Amino acid sequence: MTKLEVCCYSVDCALTAEQAGADRVELCASQADGGITPSYGTLKLAREKVKIPVHPIVRPRGGDFCYSQSEFDVLKSDVACIRDMGFPGVVVGMLDAEGHIDMPRMWEVMALCGEMAVTFHRAFDMCLNPKVALEQLTQLGVARILTSGQQQNAEVGLPMLRELNQLTRGPIIMAGAGVRLTNLQKFVDIGLTELHSSAGRQVKSSMRYRKAGVTMSSDTDFDEFSRYCVDGDIVAAMKSTLQFDDEISRTA
């Protein structure tokens, strides 16, 4: 069965994804940063409310994936906390200054993870040599690699995704970044068994009063009265398409 993981930036979005048929949630904070570690309160409520598997991202900040010692210490503490809270998986990744997988630190993180399934996130798309990285992540024992095929979006990265999927001897290659209902079939056709999508839309704020001339963001073009939310109809349509493809494959 082809699995659909939905990227969620709140517990409300995770519940929407679950109700619409998602197989798994990647739980994050801060869409503007591309996802950072959710707060303890968010993690706690997700454990209480969401029944499908939730894999929180552990990323101490936005930007690159080469961390200072203090950032790495924070990362390890967050991984241990998520493990102790009983989450079935975690999303994490690190590179060294030369663009290689930071193997010494990743070994430390893998040891901390215990029984949690580890997804190496899109730090993979910023690494120097994806084939060497695939071999290293196989040695580490990660469960899956979230990747756009080292391109800005996964549709452009289809050739690399196909090659990685053919080469892998362990980690699941999961396409992410620009995976949508309109291009879903392209990823199924190259043999991928897991897909990652935000499956969302911008939702207007419920605020009726809006203070003019004051903003909480240094980006004056940023719209603080809208936010990105998971669209349950899109998730349901994507999952229905995947289930139909699975049924066709079984009967072919």
Side-chain angles (χ1 to χ4, degrees), residues 95-134:
L95 302 178
D96 64 23
E98 303 305 319
H100 303 293
I101 305 295
D102 191 333
M103 290 295 282
R105 285 181 165 182
M106 279 302 300
W107 278 118
E108 286 189 56
V109 169
M110 294 301 293
L112 279 173
C113 285
E115 298 299 316
M116 288 193 297
V118 176
T119 298
F120 192 91
H121 57 45
R122 290 191 63 216
F124 183 89
D125 291 323
M126 308 298 285
C127 76
L128 179 64
N129 188 319
K131 294 178 185 177
V132 171
L134 173 60

Side-chain angles (χ1 to χ4, degrees), residues 46-246:
R47 284 294 294 148
E48 293 170 358
K49 299 290 187 181
V50 184
K51 305 307 179 188
I52 61 174
V54 174
H55 291 190
I57 193 171
V58 177
R59 186 179 174 212
R61 58 163 171 77
D64 64 55
F65 302 101
C66 183
Y67 298 125
S68 69
Q69 185 59 50
S70 62
E71 289 169 338
F72 182 51
D73 290 341
V74 168
L75 184 149
K76 288 190 292 182
S77 293
D78 286 337
V79 167
C81 176
I82 287 166
R83 178 201 63 208
D84 293 345
M85 292 178 80
F87 284 94
V90 68
V91 183
V92 68
M94 283 162 287
L95 302 178
D96 64 23
E98 303 305 319
H100 303 293
I101 305 295
D102 191 333
M103 290 295 282
R105 285 181 165 182
M106 279 302 300
W107 278 118
E108 286 189 56
V109 169
M110 294 301 293
L112 279 173
C113 285
E115 298 299 316
M116 288 193 297
V118 176
T119 298
F120 192 91
H121 57 45
R122 290 191 63 216
F124 183 89
D125 291 323
M126 308 298 285
C127 76
L128 179 64
N129 188 319
K131 294 178 185 177
V132 171
L134 173 60
E135 181 59 34
Q136 291 174 319
L137 293 173
T138 302
Q139 294 170 16
L140 286 165
V142 305
R144 62 185 52 79
I145 300 168
L146 172 60
T147 172
S148 63
Q150 292 216 313
Q151 298 295 328
Q152 187 63 26
N153 68 74
E155 188 168 356
V156 177
L158 277 165
M160 174 63 73
L161 289 168
R162 180 189 292 108
E163 185 173 9
L164 291 169
N165 197 47
Q166 291 170 345
L167 289 172
T168 187
R169 296 181 293 105
I172 295 164
I173 304 301
M174 178 169 63
V179 175
R180 302 182 176 89
L181 179 61
T182 53
N183 61 16
L184 203 62
Q185 192 63 47
K186 294 180 180 181
F187 303 102
V188 174
D189 288 347
I190 64 169
L192 299 186
T193 59
E194 296 197 6
L195 302 175
H196 170 100
S197 176
S198 56
R201 59 188 175 88
Q202 291 293 128
V203 175
K204 290 295 183 182
S205 168
S206 60
M207 287 288 296
R208 290 187 293 274
Y209 173 72
R210 302 187 179 190
K211 176 70 174 178
V214 179
T215 177
M216 296 295 107
S217 174
S218 59
D219 180 359
T220 55
D221 294 326
F222 180 71
D223 182 5
E224 293 177 322
F225 293 99
S226 71
R227 64 188 188 281
Y228 195 79
C229 291
V230 169
D231 188 321
D233 291 339
I234 293 176
V235 174
M238 293 178 79
K239 190 58 188 173
S240 177
T241 298
L242 294 175
Q243 288 173 333
F244 178 77
D245 287 333
D246 288 338

